[in-house]
Amino acid sequence: MRRLLVTASVLLALAGSLAARPAEPPPLPERLADTGGGTQLITAEAPGTGSTTGTVTWWDRRGGGWVAAGSAPARFGANGLAEGAAREQGTNTTPTGLYGLPYAFGTGQAPEGVRYPYRRIGEDSWWCQDNASTAYNRWVEPRPADCRAEESEHLVAYATQYARALVIGFNYHRPVRGRGAGIFLHVDGKGATAGCVSVPAAAMDRILAWADPARRPHIAVGTESGPTAIVRY
């Protein structure tokens, strides 16, 4: 009888301990307002709007839930992050929000196994950031006369960062002048970005090998809390 009482006491104590333990939060994608409707997702989360570092995680949807496929340290804009719908060009802020990933690009041939549409950078490859140009926020090759070089990015000049990259569809499909142009997920440079999201080269390789356009991947960018919390997007 004494042994039974002791056993019962131990079980009750364990049950109480388990009940007191807080439940694990669901995976981050399950807390987002929207994931884009596909079965792949990249999250880029920073501690706050003033942060220049954070975490990028890429996820697969399996069996009705989300599973992390990989994670890496991330860098953001030199001036942190800003609400994508109100961001201003030239502020060196990374726009928050949920965006598609139109295509990949890089300085060399597409890495073996990459399924994403891929463009190779050449000497005449530019990203037009000139607000007065009809090609605003577009890859141009060669650079048209109405797209000033001083208002654009000569892609070949960023051999390290653009060795491999994905275009982030911020302000892309219906560009708003002055909102910002040329926002990418790319390889780390020496420090914070001008508004892009960057990860180590090995992580970028893994993301490109993982990304499958047939699964409609998106990227969600945001902070841990507040008005730009990633869960809002």
Side-chain angles (χ1 to χ4, degrees), residues 169-231:
F170 165 73
N171 200 32
Y172 187 77
H173 295 291
R174 292 188 178 92
V176 175
R177 264 57 178 181
R179 184 64 47 80
I183 302 298
F184 313 126
L185 172 63
H186 63 68
V187 175
D188 283 340
K190 292 182 179 179
T193 73
C196 296
V197 180
S198 73
V199 294
M204 196 67 228
D205 285 343
R206 291 177 62 195
I207 291 170
L208 281 181
W210 159 87
D212 182 353
R215 297 178 62 188
R216 295 183 295 155
H218 286 67
I219 184 169
V221 184
T223 55
E224 291 178 2
S225 60
T228 55
I230 195 168
V231 295

Side-chain angles (χ1 to χ4, degrees), residues 35-97:
T35 58
T39 58
Q40 286 188 328
L41 178 72
I42 300 171
T43 56
E45 188 177 27
T49 53
S51 304
T52 59
T53 60
T55 304
V56 158
T57 306
W58 48 106
W59 306 80
D60 289 307
R61 187 162 180 81
R62 298 176 186 164
W66 289 94
V67 179
S71 185
R75 293 175 179 170
F76 298 99
N79 288 323
L81 296 86
E83 170 60 53
R87 179 184 183 269
E88 295 181 6
Q89 185 165 326
T91 56
N92 288 342
T93 54
T94 297
T96 61

Side-chain angles (χ1 to χ4, degrees), residues 65-208:
W66 289 94
V67 179
S71 185
R75 293 175 179 170
F76 298 99
N79 288 323
L81 296 86
E83 170 60 53
R87 179 184 183 269
E88 295 181 6
Q89 185 165 326
T91 56
N92 288 342
T93 54
T94 297
T96 61
L98 178 71
Y99 306 107
L101 299 162
Y103 59 90
F105 67 93
T107 55
Q109 295 284 0
E112 188 175 349
V114 169
R115 289 162 288 185
Y116 239 81
Y118 184 92
R119 295 190 73 167
R120 185 176 183 180
I121 294 172
E123 288 295 329
D124 288 332
S125 304
W126 293 75
W127 196 275
C128 185
Q129 300 179 352
D130 189 336
N131 281 281
S133 175
T134 55
Y136 178 66
N137 202 18
R138 286 294 184 274
W139 179 303
V140 289
E141 193 172 325
R143 180 177 53 82
D146 74 341
C147 183
R148 293 168 291 173
E150 63 271 22
E151 295 292 329
S152 302
E153 197 167 74
H154 196 193
L155 298 177
V156 75
Y158 299 89
T160 297
Q161 294 93 325
Y162 299 160
R164 294 165 300 284
L166 276 165
V167 176
I168 294 177
F170 165 73
N171 200 32
Y172 187 77
H173 295 291
R174 292 188 178 92
V176 175
R177 264 57 178 181
R179 184 64 47 80
I183 302 298
F184 313 126
L185 172 63
H186 63 68
V187 175
D188 283 340
K190 292 182 179 179
T193 73
C196 296
V197 180
S198 73
V199 294
M204 196 67 228
D205 285 343
R206 291 177 62 195
I207 291 170
L208 281 181

